[in-house]
Amino acid sequence: YQLELTGTVSEARLFDEQLRLVRTYRLSLGKPTIHISDTITNLGDTPPPLMLLYHINIGFPLVTKDARLHIAHEAVHPRDDAARAGLDTWEKYATATPGFAEQVFYHHATTGEDNQAMAALLQDDFGLALQWDTTNLPYFIQWKNTRQGIYVNGIEPGNCIPEGQNSARENKRLMMLKPGKTLSFSCQLQIIAGKEAVDQQKADISKLRST
């Protein structure tokens, strides 16, 4: 049995962008997995900027001092001085800490032959795995915020990094969607339950890392 939910969202302004997003969620009975599929179409006659970032925000009890982020990647880049200070421990999460300065890391993910990338936030016997198609989502952002009182962290694939249109344009990273063109995006979230499943997830990421 499969549950499928589809919705449409429009972003439109007179004499400006005319975008339509169609999103579909799919869930199968007995499987702790959510598939997210998006198509974005430019219905207008001009090429507007397109910046899409999946803000997958996670907190306690998944994020604790025992949690680790596992990802098959070729490189990791700190956003600023606060992130550079934590570069040696980017994969480790701490307990709630007063005054903690958020740290943001950009990962250059390793992909398989089907352009699928993989990351997982794991404890010893529990976790959340993320898989996404890098064809149109080439970036992966790790947001670490373990500040006391606002304890939430993000694992975020996207076609951009969180820098704003002006900076993206200056750095030649801004995607423009041509009139009449449609782009597709997809990602999958899966609950990982039990030590055996966690170990298998680590092995799958390690295998992808070595390809």
Side-chain angles (χ1 to χ4, degrees):
Y1 294 92
Q2 188 173 83
L3 170 66
E4 186 173 293
L5 176 64
T6 298
T8 301
V9 178
S10 295
E11 178 182 330
R13 290 190 294 175
L14 186 63
F15 309 128
D16 212 320
E17 75 268 15
Q18 303 289 328
L19 299 173
R20 181 178 64 196
L21 163 70
V22 178
R23 169 166 293 183
T24 300
Y25 296 97
R26 293 184 180 90
L27 302 90
S28 297
L29 182 66
K31 296 181 179 180
T33 303
I34 299 176
H35 299 269
I36 303 173
S37 300
D38 288 333
T39 60
I40 299 178
T41 303
N42 181 4
L43 302 176
D45 59 1
T46 59
L50 178 62
M51 302 183 77
L52 179 66
L53 187 65
Y54 290 88
H55 291 279
I56 302 168
N57 292 330
I58 307 161
F60 183 84
L62 176 55
V63 181
T64 69
K65 66 180 180 64
D66 298 319
R68 298 289 185 273
L69 179 66
H70 299 260
I71 180 172
H73 68 183
E74 298 175 12
V76 54
H77 305 280
R79 182 184 66 176
D80 51 23
D81 288 341
R84 276 187 282 275
L87 184 58
D88 291 340
T89 56
W90 64 263
E91 77 280 12
K92 300 178 181 179
Y93 290 80
T95 55
T97 305
F100 179 86
E102 66 175 2
Q103 298 175 351
V104 177
F105 301 97
Y106 305 136
H107 296 263
H108 183 194
T110 303
T111 62
E113 295 180 356
D114 54 357
N115 292 327
Q116 295 293 309
M118 189 183 302
L121 190 57
L122 301 172
Q123 298 182 21
D124 290 338
D125 59 356
F126 175 56
L128 178 70
L130 170 65
Q131 185 173 322
W132 70 99
D133 188 338
T134 62
T135 303
N136 293 320
L137 297 172
Y139 300 101
F140 180 80
I141 295 88
Q142 176 194 11
W143 174 47
K144 290 180 68 176
N145 172 46
T146 55
R147 184 171 178 175
Q148 183 174 325
I150 48 175
Y151 192 80
V152 63
N153 298 266
I155 49 176
E156 306 171 346
N159 78 334
C160 62
I161 61 175
E163 60 180 334
Q165 290 186 15
N166 290 338
S167 178
R169 185 178 288 106
E170 291 172 3
N171 290 292
K172 303 186 186 304
R173 285 191 286 260
L174 185 62
M175 177 182 289
M176 309 295 287
L177 187 59
K178 295 180 180 180
K181 186 173 178 60
T182 296
L183 288 180
S184 298
F185 308 86
S186 66
C187 63
Q188 172 184 295
L189 294 168
Q190 180 180 356
I191 298 296
I192 307 300
K195 187 178 186 307
E196 183 177 343
V198 167
D199 290 343
Q200 182 61 56
Q201 187 66 46
K202 291 179 182 178
D204 290 344
I205 292 175
S206 179
K207 182 179 179 180
L208 182 60
R209 187 182 295 120
S210 62
T211 57

